[in-house]
Amino acid sequence: MAANSEPLSPRAKLAVTAGRAAAAVSRAAGKGSGSVIGGKVALRFDPDLLARLARHLDVVLVSATNGKTTTTRLLAEALRAGGPVVSNALGANMPAGITSALAGGSDARFGVIEVDEKYLAGVARDVAPKAIALLNLSRDQLDRAAETRMLAEKWREGLAGSEAIIIANADDPLITWAASSSPTVVWVAAGQSWKDDAWSCPSCGGVLQRPDDDWYCGECGFRRPTPTWALSGDHVVDPYGVAWPIHLQLPGRANKSNAAMSAAVAAAFGIDPKVALERMFKVQAVAGRYDVVSFLQRDLRLLLAKNPAGWLETFSLIDGPPTPVILSVNARGADGTDTSWLWDVDYTRLAGHPIMVIGDRKLDLAVRLEVAGLQFRVCANLDEAVRAAPPGRIEAIANYTAFQDLRRRVGN
Amino acid sequence: MSESSLRLVWVYPDLLSTYGDQGNALVVERRAVQRRVPVTRVDVRSDHAVPTSGDIYLIGGGEDRPQRLAAERLRRDGGLNRAVANGAIVFSVCAGYQILGHEFINDLGRPEPGLGLLDVVSTRGEGDRCVGDVLADIDPQLGLPPLTGFENHQGITHLGPTTRPLARLRVGRGNGTGDGTEGAFNDTVFGTYMHGPVMARNPHIADLLIKLALDVNALPPVDDQWYDALRAERIAAAVQPA
């Protein structure tokens, strides 16, 4: 679809203007970017605004438990090879934030939109995307009752019969279940380190067999689809069997996986994998994540890990011992108020690192680490934790609001 | 109790391990090993038979459909019932607690038979989920300090005449019956709605299970400073929410 083939209606224009005004007021009042309030005001003027704004764009939606913000950034960078992109790059991923982001990109050709898991089906209905990328599903925010399996089921119902090309991670059984009701699926072997949310078959409830990287249900035959794209070490293998090197500034296996998914999506938009992957190298830190900041004469690397799957991936990318590690955990509304998930994280992986513990729930972490048999030090705040480490690199791993606290303290 | 080591069986982690339930196994294991009691931990997936020779069985929380599947497989397997008949100790949480009773409401909205190891029957509440910090006084017969935990469920569990409430609530909804009870126990079988996980918040419960398994009255002390600090913080949070 060509950009701006039909102009916005007067009502939609008014809605966009009202939203911008509200966002400006919010910014002036020092209350963040104002994108969410702007979107809310605009949607009140015109409830169909999201659909109207998207009509002018080739849209791809990105959803997952982990990696959606980063993948959205990588993908936006890749698609810029084909034309201007509008994206909710700051992670405001519910309908109001998405509306606000799209309203700011009237010249764009592509819309690259991160969507909160719970809103995916609704947003997909509203914006009629050309493609939807589904990366992974795992436990997150347990007190919200949006249990992982139910979410996969809702996606499956919501995406059944969708005209979008679904680009889905074949290594995640829940993602496979969610995607396999759709007519057009591109399967990507994007890997999955965390397996503990998919031991029972999403189709029949049988026990999944998971030898090596494969998986299948011995009872009903539901099994891993044959992928056409694959992440293979430091390369993405395309459907023709050509291996393209991945060069990222972002660390870790999970980001290679995000890049592989992004390359497959970009191909669906006509962007060559080589071009797409080269452009992804530009992406540095994403909303502060992976940023290295200088603080109290140390180099602090800021790492966000919100749930067990995220912590597992993070442990695999940090520098080895004796690099000190600061762990910070909160349990405020946006984090989920139940800290039980700490016990699904294998903290024994941190053996040998000096460990400092901070955050609202540092005592939950202390008991967790004590039971893991690790040495650690509980500190009052970030400054004390940083001073406990010698000059040099420190890995700081924090969950959602704890991460924002870290950024604020170090002035990031 | 086997002579060589404490046999700790974690039942169906593939289905019932949604709320950090592994933590209960880790705490029991850790606190036994700290007392120089060797532990053999067996994690039994739901396509394997539940061994009948364990000393302590732990069964955790899960989503509605896995809960039904777990109940079906445990009934068919029969191992857990045989183990209890042999005197084994069972500690269950949330979905696992409901499974140990006579009956609960499954994901299809129908009554699902449980294992009948606890004289309780569970239904589903109509209102909001019970979510938040809980504080309760444990039955004095067990001689334990107050119970602290995090509840996150929609169940209502009614106790029959041959079981006792595990605790009396000071803060929280517990069994959800409105009568101030939380959890249930009967000889060697225990049930609670508490997450946290419950053993991390209440290491004395882990010690109680170890003592019952070893048939001893006391265990050597261990350093509880971080457990104590966490307990104090969470009890204060329950009494005076932020």
Side-chain angles (χ1 to χ4, degrees):
Chain A
M1 193 188 296
N4 295 329
S5 56
E6 45 179 311
L8 283 176
S9 70
R11 184 183 182 81
K13 277 186 187 153
L14 175 66
V16 168
T17 307
R20 286 207 185 117
V25 169
S26 172
R27 271 196 303 277
K31 293 184 174 168
S33 73
S35 74
V36 172
I37 181 72
K40 279 187 180 157
V41 168
L43 279 174
R44 205 166 302 147
F45 272 84
D46 181 357
D48 298 327
L49 182 61
L50 182 53
R52 264 190 257 280
L53 290 168
R55 207 172 293 156
H56 303 274
L57 299 164
D58 278 353
V59 170
V60 52
L61 305 181
V62 177
S63 200
T65 303
N66 290 317
K68 35 186 189 295
T69 304
T70 304
T71 303
T72 298
R73 278 291 300 277
L74 293 170
L75 190 50
E77 212 48 62
L79 292 190
R80 277 195 188 104
V85 168
V86 61
S87 177
N88 53 342
L90 295 175
N93 62 12
M94 296 183 213
I98 294 167
T99 303
S100 185
L102 291 191
S106 53
D107 301 329
R109 176 178 169 204
F110 300 112
V112 182
I113 301 177
E114 168 188 340
V115 189
D116 181 275
E117 304 91 283
K118 288 182 282 299
Y119 293 90
L120 178 66
V123 172
R125 232 180 355 258
D126 284 350
V127 308
K130 180 170 172 178
I132 303 175
L134 306 177
L135 317 179
N136 55 70
L137 277 176
S138 68
R139 61 190 63 186
D140 191 38
Q141 301 190 348
L142 298 175
D143 59 326
R144 297 271 175 93
E147 292 172 325
T148 314
R149 187 168 302 276
M150 296 286 291
L151 209 50
E153 202 61 53
K154 277 189 190 138
W155 280 13
R156 183 178 171 85
E157 288 164 16
L159 301 179
S162 167
E163 285 173 23
I165 303 167
I166 312 288
I167 293 97
N169 182 1
D171 290 325
D172 184 328
L174 290 173
I175 288 290
T176 302
W177 178 246
S180 56
S181 66
S182 307
T184 315
V185 187
V186 175
W187 298 108
V188 183
Q192 189 189 35
S193 304
W194 171 261
K195 295 186 168 31
D196 287 347
D197 283 301
W199 282 108
S200 72
C201 174
S203 178
C204 79
V207 177
L208 284 188
Q209 307 301 317
R210 307 193 71 164
D212 302 323
D213 294 332
D214 195 13
W215 58 264
Y216 62 91
C217 174
E219 291 182 33
C220 75
F222 182 62
R223 60 171 25 256
R224 178 177 180 264
T226 306
T228 50
W229 290 76
L231 170 65
S232 176
D234 295 329
H235 290 77
V236 185
V237 182
D238 75 11
Y240 306 100
V242 181
W244 304 95
I246 303 172
H247 295 296
L248 295 176
Q249 299 190 60
L250 305 177
R253 189 215 70 86
N255 284 320
K256 293 193 174 77
S257 171
N258 295 336
M261 290 291 296
S262 299
V265 175
F269 285 81
I271 311 287
D272 187 74
K274 181 171 186 288
V275 174
L277 286 160
E278 279 171 4
R279 294 187 69 90
M280 290 181 215
F281 180 76
K282 290 185 190 166
V283 177
Q284 229 169 347
V286 180
R289 302 156 199 196
Y290 313 110
D291 239 348
V292 180
V293 296
S294 178
F295 184 67
L296 301 176
Q297 289 88 54
R298 279 81 168 171
D299 298 318
L300 208 55
R301 179 155 63 165
L302 307 179
L303 299 165
L304 174 71
K306 292 184 285 192
N307 47 49
W311 284 80
L312 187 64
E313 295 286 6
T314 302
F315 289 163
S316 73
L317 66 81
I318 61 174
D319 288 357
T323 304
V325 176
I326 295 174
L327 307 178
S328 185
V329 168
N330 291 347
R332 301 176 198 162
D335 304 306
T337 53
D338 183 358
T339 52
S340 295
W341 60 268
L342 291 172
W343 296 79
D344 291 322
V345 178
D346 181 12
Y347 286 99
T348 61
R349 295 270 299 270
L350 296 180
H353 291 272
I355 304 170
M356 276 71 73
V357 173
I358 58 172
D360 294 352
R361 301 305 290 268
K362 52 182 176 280
L363 296 177
D364 291 78
L365 262 173
V367 171
R368 176 70 191 90
L369 298 177
E370 199 286 322
V371 170
L374 296 167
Q375 300 289 317
F376 58 93
R377 178 166 164 181
V378 176
C379 298
N381 52 42
L382 180 66
D383 295 41
E384 186 186 319
V386 169
R387 289 202 178 93
R393 164 67 70 93
I394 302 174
E395 306 280 18
I397 311 174
N399 74 337
Y400 193 66
T401 67
F403 187 80
Q404 293 170 335
D405 289 351
L406 284 187
R407 288 185 72 191
R408 210 167 297 131
R409 180 65 198 114
V410 302
N412 174 259
Chain B
M1 164 70 198
S2 56
E3 295 75 23
S4 52
S5 68
L6 186 74
R7 284 176 54 94
L8 176 63
V9 182
W10 183 22
V11 178
Y12 292 0
D14 56 323
L15 295 175
L16 299 173
S17 175
T18 302
Y19 300 98
D21 297 281
Q22 181 186 213
N24 291 326
L26 292 171
V27 173
V28 172
E29 198 175 349
R30 169 79 172 164
R31 294 181 71 86
V33 169
Q34 283 179 309
R35 273 63 173 255
R36 303 192 182 287
V37 177
V39 175
T40 307
R41 182 173 133 191
V42 185
D43 297 354
V44 186
R45 249 173 41 172
S46 66
D47 56 347
H48 287 70
V50 177
T52 56
S53 57
D55 299 302
I56 300 173
Y57 292 76
L58 300 175
I59 176 165
E63 299 179 41
D64 294 347
R65 181 177 173 193
Q67 181 188 24
R68 169 168 55 88
L69 298 173
E72 285 169 1
R73 288 170 198 171
L74 285 169
R75 286 200 311 270
R76 199 186 317 143
D77 179 82
L80 195 57
N81 289 68
R82 284 197 293 281
V84 171
N86 294 339
I89 297 148
V90 184
F91 192 93
S92 62
V93 176
C94 204
Y97 169 35
Q98 295 188 346
I99 290 172
L100 292 199
H102 299 298
E103 190 180 284
F104 63 91
I105 303 299
N106 68 21
D107 60 320
L108 310 170
R110 292 199 279 272
E112 179 78 28
L115 302 181
L117 294 171
L118 275 175
D119 185 14
V120 303
V121 170
S122 299
T123 57
R124 199 174 298 169
E126 296 296 318
D128 295 342
R129 279 176 88 84
C130 309
V131 181
D133 271 296
V134 173
L135 175 61
D137 295 304
I138 296 181
D139 190 317
Q141 187 182 311
L142 297 175
L144 298 176
L147 178 70
T148 154
F150 190 94
E151 64 182 342
N152 179 5
H153 67 97
Q154 207 162 9
I156 296 178
T157 297
H158 297 274
L159 275 55
T162 71
T163 191
R164 295 165 68 96
L166 179 65
R168 295 275 167 191
L169 291 161
R170 276 194 256 167
V171 178
R173 309 252 289 270
N175 287 328
T177 43
D179 61 358
T181 66
E182 150 43 36
F185 76 104
N186 177 20
D187 295 333
T188 60
V189 182
F190 300 80
T192 179
Y193 274 112
M194 296 302 100
H195 300 293
V198 65
M199 304 289 180
R201 298 271 200 102
N202 306 274
H204 310 98
I205 295 180
D207 288 356
L208 172 73
L209 304 187
I210 296 167
K211 284 190 278 187
L212 285 171
L214 300 177
D215 198 16
V216 296
N217 289 323
L219 293 171
V222 291
D223 181 358
D224 280 342
Q225 68 158 320
W226 294 116
Y227 295 102
D228 289 344
L230 175 62
R231 284 177 59 78
E233 180 196 285
R234 297 330 299 163
I235 288 171
V239 174
Q240 196 132 43

